[in-house]
Coordinates of all heavy atoms in Angstrom, one line a residue:
V460 N 142.9 111.7 84.8 CA 141.8 110.8 84.4 C 140.8 110.8 85.6 O 141.1 110.4 86.7 CB 142.3 109.3 84.2 CG1 141.1 108.4 83.8 CG2 143.3 109.3 83.2
Q512 N 107.0 67.5 84.5 CA 107.4 68.5 83.5 C 106.3 68.5 82.4 O 105.7 67.5 82.1 CB 108.7 68.1 83.0 CG 109.9 68.3 84.0 CD 111.2 68.2 83.3 OE1 111.4 68.1 82.1 NE2 112.3 68.2 84.2
S536 N 94.8 96.1 91.4 CA 94.2 96.5 92.7 C 95.2 97.3 93.5 O 94.8 98.3 94.1 CB 93.8 95.3 93.4 OG 94.9 94.4 93.7
S584 N 103.6 96.7 115.0 CA 104.0 95.3 115.0 C 102.8 94.5 115.6 O 102.6 93.3 115.2 CB 105.2 95.1 115.9 OG 104.9 95.2 117.3
T589 N 98.6 90.4 114.5 CA 97.2 90.0 114.9 C 96.3 90.0 113.7 O 95.5 89.1 113.4 CB 96.6 90.8 116.0 OG1 96.7 92.2 115.6 CG2 97.4 90.6 117.3
G617 N 110.6 107.7 109.0 CA 109.2 107.7 109.1 C 108.6 106.5 108.5 O 107.6 105.9 109.0
M634 N 99.8 85.6 116.0 CA 98.3 85.3 115.7 C 97.9 85.9 114.4 O 96.9 86.4 114.2 CB 97.5 85.9 116.8 CG 97.5 85.2 118.2 SD 96.4 85.9 119.4 CE 94.8 85.5 118.7
M650 N 95.2 75.7 115.2 CA 95.3 77.1 114.8 C 96.1 77.8 115.9 O 95.7 77.8 117.1 CB 93.9 77.7 114.6 CG 94.0 79.1 114.2 SD 94.5 79.3 112.4 CE 93.1 78.8 111.5
V662 N 109.2 89.5 120.3 CA 110.0 90.4 121.1 C 111.4 90.7 120.6 O 111.8 91.8 120.5 CB 110.1 89.8 122.6 CG1 111.1 90.7 123.4 CG2 108.7 89.8 123.2
L687 N 120.2 109.2 103.8 CA 120.3 108.6 102.5 C 119.3 109.2 101.5 O 119.4 109.0 100.3 CB 119.9 107.1 102.6 CG 120.9 106.2 103.4 CD1 120.4 104.8 103.5 CD2 122.3 106.2 102.7
E692 N 114.8 115.3 101.2 CA 114.5 116.1 102.4 C 114.6 117.6 102.0 O 113.8 118.4 102.5 CB 115.4 115.8 103.5 CG 115.3 114.4 104.1 CD 113.8 114.1 104.5 OE1 113.2 114.9 105.2 OE2 113.3 113.1 104.0
V730 N 88.3 94.6 108.4 CA 89.3 93.6 108.2 C 89.1 92.4 109.1 O 89.2 91.2 108.7 CB 90.7 94.2 108.4 CG1 91.8 93.1 108.5 CG2 91.1 95.2 107.3
L782 N 105.5 97.1 86.8 CA 106.7 96.6 86.2 C 107.3 95.4 87.0 O 107.7 94.4 86.4 CB 107.8 97.7 86.1 CG 109.0 97.5 85.3 CD1 108.6 97.1 83.9 CD2 109.9 98.7 85.2
E791 N 105.1 82.9 85.4 CA 103.8 82.2 85.3 C 103.5 81.7 83.9 O 103.0 80.6 83.7 CB 102.7 83.1 85.9 CG 102.8 83.3 87.4 CD 101.8 84.4 87.9 OE1 101.2 85.1 87.0 OE2 101.7 84.5 89.1
W904 N 118.4 90.0 110.4 CA 117.1 89.4 110.6 C 117.1 88.0 110.2 O 116.6 87.1 110.9 CB 116.1 90.2 109.8 CG 114.6 90.2 110.3 CD1 114.1 89.3 111.2 CD2 113.6 91.0 109.8 NE1 112.8 89.5 111.3 CE2 112.4 90.6 110.5 CE3 113.5 92.0 108.9 CZ2 111.2 91.2 110.3 CZ3 112.2 92.6 108.7 CH2 111.1 92.2 109.4

Side-chain angles (χ1 to χ4, degrees):
V460 180
Q512 290 191 8
S536 60
S584 73
T589 54
M634 288 184 67
M650 184 73 78
V662 171
L687 293 176
E692 295 306 306
V730 170
L782 190 55
E791 289 168 353
W904 202 349

